[in-house]
Amino acid sequence: ECGIARPKARIIGGQDAEIGEWPWMAMLYHITTNKSFCGGALLTSTWVVTAAHCINESKVNENTLQVYLGKHEADVGESGIIVDEIIMHPDFNNTVYDADIALIRLTEHVVFTETIKPVFGVAAIADGSPSSPPFS
């Protein structure tokens, strides 16, 4: 089962989202600075996609990045998911942000719930976790 946004008006002007309304959203968290800094989208049970500039500008690596899923608030009371690998697009240009995409492989498979689901359509195409990312 994949995430489908509930049919509702778009969130504009800072309106609160309903719990579970965007179940594929990921929060990226820098464990050295103790701050969330960017978002991403859950693609499969082990892959998250984000903007490459988020990884580049925050200077995170596999040892300093954790991913939180299923969060409604930006609190980090429990441990995040440890990152196994970060793959930046080889053509990423941090001056003009060309190819501004990166993949994050999680160390554990995520269990899907009402508040944690992959982006609609991607899981069906991937049929599980891809063994090789599209731009590796």
Side-chain angles (χ1 to χ4, degrees), residues 47 62 83-87 103-107 133:
W47 288 100
E62 291 85 350
V83 171
D84 182 48
E85 180 180 16
I86 300 171
I87 304 171
L103 291 173
I104 300 167
R105 185 186 348 227
L106 306 175
T107 57

Side-chain angles (χ1 to χ4, degrees), residues 36-118:
S36 60
F37 62 92
C38 268
L42 185 64
L43 296 177
T44 69
S45 66
T46 56
W47 288 100
V48 172
V49 65
T50 191
H53 77 266
C54 288
I55 303 298
N56 186 62
E57 292 173 9
S58 67
K59 300 187 181 359
V60 292
N61 59 42
E62 291 85 350
N63 299 313
T64 59
L65 173 62
Q66 287 188 351
V67 175
Y68 286 83
L69 299 165
K71 304 292 288 175
H72 185 68
E73 302 289 337
D75 63 327
V76 290
E78 68 284 345
S79 296
I81 301 168
I82 297 170
V83 171
D84 182 48
E85 180 180 16
I86 300 171
I87 304 171
M88 303 277 283
H89 193 288
D91 296 329
F92 171 61
N93 179 316
N94 64 352
T95 303
V96 294
Y97 292 163
D98 286 346
D100 190 14
I101 190 168
L103 291 173
I104 300 167
R105 185 186 348 227
L106 306 175
T107 57
E108 59 190 73
H109 285 268
V110 173
V111 175
F112 300 144
T113 67
E114 284 302 308
T115 59
I116 301 174
K117 294 179 184 177

Side-chain angles (χ1 to χ4, degrees), residues 6 8 11 15-23 25-27 68-76 78 115-116:
R6 296 183 184 135
K8 194 176 174 185
I11 299 173
Q15 294 174 324
D16 289 340
E18 299 290 326
I19 293 174
E21 189 172 4
W22 310 103
M25 288 302 301
M27 180 176 78
Y68 286 83
L69 299 165
K71 304 292 288 175
H72 185 68
E73 302 289 337
D75 63 327
V76 290
E78 68 284 345
T115 59
I116 301 174

